Amino acid sequence: MESKVEKTRAKTGGRAKGVPNRATAAAREAFAQFVDGNAHRFQGWLDEVANDPKHGAKVALELVLQVSEYHIPKLARTEHVGKDGGDIIHRHKLVDELKAGIALLAKK
């Protein structure tokens, strides 16, 4: 997020861009250790939720997806569009060179 105040000098000191916060990294590591340490119990918990008439298999699957978000990073969706949001036009230089060669041969 850009500051509304004009930057008059270069940033000095502090954390370098892209370096994660230590507390966040520690929390992620603690959660990963919790999940890894309870992996052998996880299947039993899911079976209990799936077999519970109040919850069912759908809720068990949702729980798996929710837990996986913390252990496996989500991939960002990327949409590729052409100029002004239009179609992408692919130009292959080889085709253009062949057309130019054919035009030269036709002149001879």
Side-chain angles (χ1 to χ4, degrees), residues 11 20 22-23 35 39 101 106:
K11 179 181 175 184
R22 280 188 221 138
V35 171

Side-chain angles (χ1 to χ4, degrees), residues 4 7 9 12 18 22-23 26-27 30 39 41-42 50 52-54 64 67-68 71 73 76 83 87 98 104 106 108:
K4 292 184 180 184
K7 293 185 179 183
R9 60 184 173 156
T12 59
R22 280 188 221 138
R41 296 182 190 170
F42 196 62
D52 186 342
K54 182 179 174 185
V64 170
V67 169
S68 69
H71 215 53
K83 186 177 180 180
D87 294 337
L98 286 173
L104 283 175
K108 291 183 178 181

Side-chain angles (χ1 to χ4, degrees), residues 3-18:
S3 172
K4 292 184 180 184
V5 177
E6 184 178 332
K7 293 185 179 183
T8 57
R9 60 184 173 156
K11 179 181 175 184
T12 59
R15 187 171 64 232
K17 186 175 184 177

